[in-house]
Structure formats: C-alpha cells, structure tokens
Amino acid sequence: MIKTKADFLDSHRRMHKRIFMFGEELESYIDHPMVQPSLNAVAMTYELALDPAHAELLTAESSLSGKPINRFTHLHQSTRDLVDKIKMQRLLGQCTACCFQRCVGMDSFNALDVITFQMDQELGSSYNQRFRKYLAQVQGENLVVDGAMTDPKGNRKLSPSQQADPDLHLRIVNEDEQGITIRGAKMHQTGAISAHEILVMPTRSLSDKEKDYAVACAVPADADGIIYVYGRQASDTRKLEGGKIDVGNYHFGGHEALIIFQDVFVPWERVFMSREYQYAGSLVELFAAHHRTSYGGCKPGVGDVLIGAVQAIARIQGTDHASHIQDKLVEMVHLNETLYACGLAASYEGNPSESGTYRIDYLLANITKLNVTRFPYEIARIAQDIAGGLLVTMPSEKDFNHPEVGPLLKKYLVGSHEYPTEWRQRLLRLIENLTIGAGSIGYLVESMHGAGSPMAQRIMLARLANMETKESYALKIAGLSETN
Ligand code: SF4
Ligand code: FE
C-alpha cells in the first residue's frame, strides 16, 4: 500500500509509461524538472493523510472494506462526506497553490458506482459488483486514478458515428471472451502522468447507432498501446532554467496530457460499461456534477494563496493602508468565499442514491461551476491591479544574482526597506504564476473549461431551474392562479 511520498515515487519508478514532451520520448519522468512539481502536488494527498492535524479530513472508512482509506478513493456515504471532500480540496489548494490532480478519479468512482448500480438493477448485469471489486483494490493499494472523459470530438456538428474518422471518440474496436480492445484518445487529462490507473468513460450521451462508444473501463496507466503527450503551459520552460524564484511556485504544479489509446486490450473484469449507450448521458452528468462542485473546494484554496500573496505584496510595497486596496482585498475574499459557499451548499444538499453512494445536488453543482468560470478571473484582475506593473517587467533571477547589475536591481527594486528586495521578487513571481504563468492554467483557464465549458452549465441550469414552479408562485401571489 502506498503511504508516503517515497512510496508514491517508488510506485512510479516501477511503471513504464511512454511519454512525449518537446518532440522527444522521455527516458524517465520521475526526476524530470517539468514533471516533478506535479508529482510533488499529488504526493501531498498522501503526506497530509499522515499528518495528525489533517488525517481525519484526508481519510475515511471504506464502505467496501470497513478499513481506513484515503478520502480520494472513497465512495461518499453521507452529506458529511461530501462536505469533507470540499474541505479537503480547499486545504490541498492552500498547501500546493495548484491542481493536485486526484479529484477526477474520485469524482469518477462516485459517478460510476451510482450508474453501474442502476444498470444492474435495470439490465440484470453485474457491473457494479465488478466495479466495486476494482475500487476495493484501488482503495487497498491507495492508487492515483485518472478519470478520462473528454474525447477529441472532431467536428462538433457531427455525432461520434458521423465523424470522418471514427476514432475521434474513443470506442470498442474488438471484443472476445477475454475482454475488449479500445481505440481513441482522451484530451486535457489532468494528472495523467501522475496516475497509476486510467478510468475511461464516455464523453457525452449516445444513441443506439453509437453503441461502440458507450464504454467505461479501467486500464493500468502503463498498459501496452498507451501514449502520453505532455501539454504545454505558459512559462513552462522556466522549470528548466535551474532557478527557484522565476517559476513562482517551485515545489508544486499541475499538468495535463493527451492520452492516445492505440488498440488497448481491457479484460472483462475491468469493463464497467460495454455498449449500454442509454446510460452514457447520466454517467457524464453525474460525474460532471461532482467535478463541478470539486472546484468549489480547490479554487478557493488556491485563491487563499493568491489573496495572501496580494496582501503581503501590498504591505511590502507600502500600499496596504490605502482604503481602496483594503476594499479590493475584501472584494477578493468575498468572491473567493462565495465559491466555497457554493461548493458547501451543493454538498449539504446532496442525497443518497440507490447504491448508498451520495449524489451531489445537480443544480447547485452547476451554479458552483458557473461562478468558477468568472470569479477567479476577477480575483486575478484585482491581484494584478494591486501588484503593479513590476509583475510583468521584473528582470530574471539570474540578473538579480549578477555581480554587477544584481546589487543595482536590489537597490532600485526594493519596496519598503524593512523587507529584502527578494521578498518582493518572490511574491510578484507567485502572483505572476497564478494569474498569467503556469499556475494560471489550473486557476483560470481550467476554471473556465474544466468539467465542461460555461455553456454546459447554463444548459443544465435551464433544465433544472424548475421555472414552472417559480411561475406558479408568482401567479398565486399576483392573484392569478386557478386555485386562488
Ligand atoms: Fe482537483 Fe481542482 Fe485539480 Fe480538478 S482542478 S483535479 S478539482 S485540484
Ligand atoms: Fe478539472
């Protein structure tokens, strides 16, 4: 069982993943400076579970084995579990200031448990039993699982079966007594390189013409036929420069990768949906609701770090007493806590499914995510306002270390004299990282598109808002209802 950061890194040393980056296949990824911060961030999900101050939040009693497990592998058994998940995500955001990558797997488990249970009840299949057996192993070994949903999709006007290339949505290309073979790709895969397992799910609702696309299954992350291509991030090569300051967040960072499945074989015991197209849509919706709510935990956690950095830079630059700065800091807090409040509300309003696993409140989950598509951008705008122009004009740390210009930079770029210039340098780089650098991928653009772009939430809201009931309230108050 993986318990410590060392165990986690060792487990990766035993894997043989094919990863491409900058036009080359990596020989080893564990010690690669582009990958290490991501592994460090995931490792915090293990380290905090061992910390007596946080162990209660980071662990749960397994509903499958009764044993203590890492909460990232848990099936939520109560609204308290849903709430604790959000609190755990906020804590990890505060400790890493980046994406710690393990939530997509957790949200996938919780969606798959509910939907496979429903399938079994209605179809007489045994997918749920199979899935739970697999999950018990994940819990027992404390594995990191990448939930893989988003297909490349090609021409958005066309359904999977109408595409010029049928592989633009992942599909079953062969089936025999031993299992199935899948082909296709999954995009934007958060934490793919850090994962031990990939849990494949369909990306959209499907029709009976698209049965081959209705597939959910688990594959070892280094299975034969799997290729990863590492996604670029803004300022990513600063990680290769050897310094510790200009990267902004030296220890931690998230990543995404494109995963290509070139005819990957999956034995039946790892297949949890195979052509039951009528359940694809509800699986996607439940997963999305869980993951949209997750952002009400992790983003406020990262927001706490950004607000803290802005408060500190204001003090160092001597602007902290200005009333408009204080008011802007309050505005950042208001926006940040609103995101958290939404994540908590969606959790408190959760409800039990037939399988016993709790579902999040769909309407409030989508409200959470729609706010997440906006508020971090506003928080980042205020952060840049308070930080000032040096945020984007500051010389490199190598210049600060140069024997001739270094002392001049320290002299002229100082803020308030109680603080060494390096404090200003480090805090501005952190704010830069989170608002326009590598960290902004997780904090901003991922907030926009992760778990579905804003229009996906608006469609759900239009469906779930129950406008007829609202209208009936109004008609009654206005003296217009038939029963009045
Ligand atoms: Fe978790 Fe947030 Fe990263 Fe998604 S973006 S995996 S919710 S930390
Ligand atoms: Fe995400």
Side-chain angles (χ1 to χ4, degrees):
M1 182 188 193
I2 302 171
K3 286 188 175 155
T4 63
K5 177 178 179 180
D7 296 341
F8 172 63
L9 294 177
D10 280 349
S11 70
H12 272 283
R13 277 180 225 287
R14 291 192 294 274
M15 299 197 84
H16 303 284
K17 292 188 179 180
R18 296 199 62 201
I19 304 169
F20 289 79
M21 185 194 293
F22 298 133
E24 284 173 9
E25 184 166 357
L26 300 186
E27 277 183 21
S28 153
Y29 60 94
I30 324 282
D31 304 310
H32 197 293
M34 292 281 288
V35 181
Q36 251 176 353
S38 278
L39 295 170
N40 289 342
V42 178
M44 284 300 279
T45 68
Y46 292 98
E47 291 182 290
L48 290 180
L50 297 173
D51 180 340
H54 303 300
E56 205 183 320
L57 200 54
L58 267 283
T59 52
E61 185 188 301
S62 169
S63 57
L64 304 179
S65 68
K67 292 185 182 152
I69 51 165
N70 191 294
R71 188 174 293 283
F72 280 97
T73 65
H74 187 43
L75 294 175
H76 313 303
Q77 297 298 300
S78 61
T79 52
R80 184 76 239 169
D81 273 346
L82 293 170
V83 168
D84 282 349
K85 173 195 132 173
I86 297 296
K87 293 188 174 190
M88 169 179 78
Q89 289 166 319
R90 185 163 189 175
L91 172 70
L92 272 150
Q94 291 164 340
C95 295
T96 62
C98 73
C99 169
F100 34 90
Q101 306 152 53
R102 220 175 154 181
C103 322
V104 197
M106 169 176 57
D107 293 334
S108 310
F109 304 148
N110 280 275
L112 265 169
D113 187 67
V114 173
I115 303 300
T116 53
F117 191 88
Q118 189 192 343
M119 287 163 71
D120 291 354
Q121 285 208 316
E122 292 170 8
L123 307 174
S125 48
S126 53
Y127 285 122
N128 185 256
Q129 205 185 350
R130 223 185 244 180
F131 171 69
R132 287 189 172 186
K133 201 169 164 201
Y134 167 75
L135 184 61
Q137 190 195 340
V138 167
Q139 291 180 344
E141 293 176 34
N142 198 2
L143 301 178
V144 176
V145 178
D146 167 35
M149 184 164 268
T150 310
D151 290 302
K153 298 195 195 85
N155 183 343
R156 307 302 199 266
K157 282 203 291 285
L158 303 175
S159 70
S161 57
Q162 294 167 333
Q163 300 286 336
D165 182 342
D167 298 341
L168 287 171
H169 293 74
L170 185 140
R171 65 192 176 118
I172 300 170
V173 291
N174 193 30
E175 175 184 330
D176 59 28
E177 316 81 67
Q178 266 78 49
I180 58 171
T181 301
I182 55 173
R183 185 190 303 158
K186 293 289 182 184
M187 310 265 295
H188 325 305
Q189 287 307 296
T190 296
I193 310 299
S194 313
H196 304 105
E197 290 277 323
I198 303 170
L199 192 47
V200 170
M201 293 168 290
T203 203
R204 49 168 283 171
S205 44
L206 298 164
S207 73
D208 60 353
K209 293 191 193 67
E210 292 153 348
K211 288 184 181 163
D212 288 346
Y213 297 93
V215 56
C217 60
V219 289
D222 60 351
D224 281 349
I226 295 183
I227 285 178
Y228 299 84
V229 189
Y230 207 83
R232 289 218 68 169
Q233 296 181 330
S235 310
D236 53 3
T237 48
R238 288 194 192 186
K239 293 179 186 141
L240 304 176
E241 290 174 3
K244 289 192 172 178
I245 295 178
D246 284 354
V247 289
N249 185 351
Y250 176 70
H251 288 289
F252 303 111
H255 75 268
E256 272 78 29
L258 171 69
I259 311 181
I260 301 168
F261 299 78
Q262 294 184 300
D263 293 2
V264 177
F265 174 73
V266 191
W268 282 116
E269 64 265 25
R270 284 171 159 265
V271 178
F272 315 124
M273 178 187 286
S274 170
R275 300 198 171 90
E276 293 81 3
Y277 67 93
Q278 63 276 39
Y279 296 92
S282 47
L283 178 61
V284 174
E285 267 174 27
L286 182 52
F287 164 77
H290 275 299
H291 203 50
R292 287 170 192 175
T293 310
S294 285
Y295 292 9
C298 76
K299 307 303 176 198
V302 177
D304 287 329
V305 177
L306 181 56
I307 295 168
V310 172
Q311 155 95 10
I313 199 69
R315 196 172 65 246
I316 288 167
Q317 295 181 160
T319 57
D320 53 328
H321 291 298
S323 62
H324 74 96
I325 299 286
Q326 288 174 4
D327 193 48
K328 284 168 183 164
L329 282 161
V330 168
E331 177 67 10
M332 294 170 94
V333 170
H334 165 67
L335 293 165
N336 203 44
E337 297 300 335
T338 303
L339 296 179
Y340 186 51
C342 287
L344 290 180
S347 305
Y348 279 116
E349 289 294 305
N351 53 74
S353 74
E354 300 270 299
S355 83
T357 296
Y358 268 59
R359 281 179 298 229
I360 206 78
D361 183 276
Y362 281 65
L363 178 74
L364 293 173
N366 282 280
I367 296 284
T368 307
K369 174 65 205 323
L370 198 54
N371 282 337
V372 166
T373 65
R374 298 174 182 166
F375 295 0
Y377 285 89
E378 182 58 16
I379 293 170
R381 191 188 70 77
I382 300 171
Q384 292 180 357
D385 174 358
I386 297 176
L390 189 60
L391 183 69
V392 290
T393 62
M394 189 163 54
S396 82
E397 72 181 279
K398 286 185 181 157
D399 292 320
F400 278 87
N401 295 333
H402 188 274
E404 185 176 352
V405 294
L408 292 170
L409 292 176
K410 285 174 189 146
K411 169 183 161 75
Y412 286 110
L413 298 185
V414 73
S416 169
H417 273 94
E418 299 104 277
Y419 301 98
T421 308
E422 189 178 314
W423 279 48
R424 194 178 184 202
Q425 198 188 347
R426 282 181 180 269
L427 285 162
L428 287 174
R429 287 297 180 211
L430 174 56
I431 298 168
E432 182 194 35
N433 170 283
L434 287 172
T435 65
I436 38 176
S440 71
I441 282 73
Y443 187 56
L444 299 180
V445 186
E446 208 256 349
S447 289
M448 178 72 80
H449 293 295
S453 306
M455 200 57 211
Q457 287 103 67
R458 300 186 89 88
I459 290 168
M460 287 301 290
L461 293 187
R463 244 173 61 195
L464 297 168
N466 202 350
M467 297 306 279
E468 295 77 22
T469 309
K470 293 185 200 311
E471 191 176 329
S472 74
Y473 296 145
L475 293 183
K476 191 170 179 194
I477 298 286
L480 296 169
S481 89
E482 281 165 21
T483 55
N484 193 39

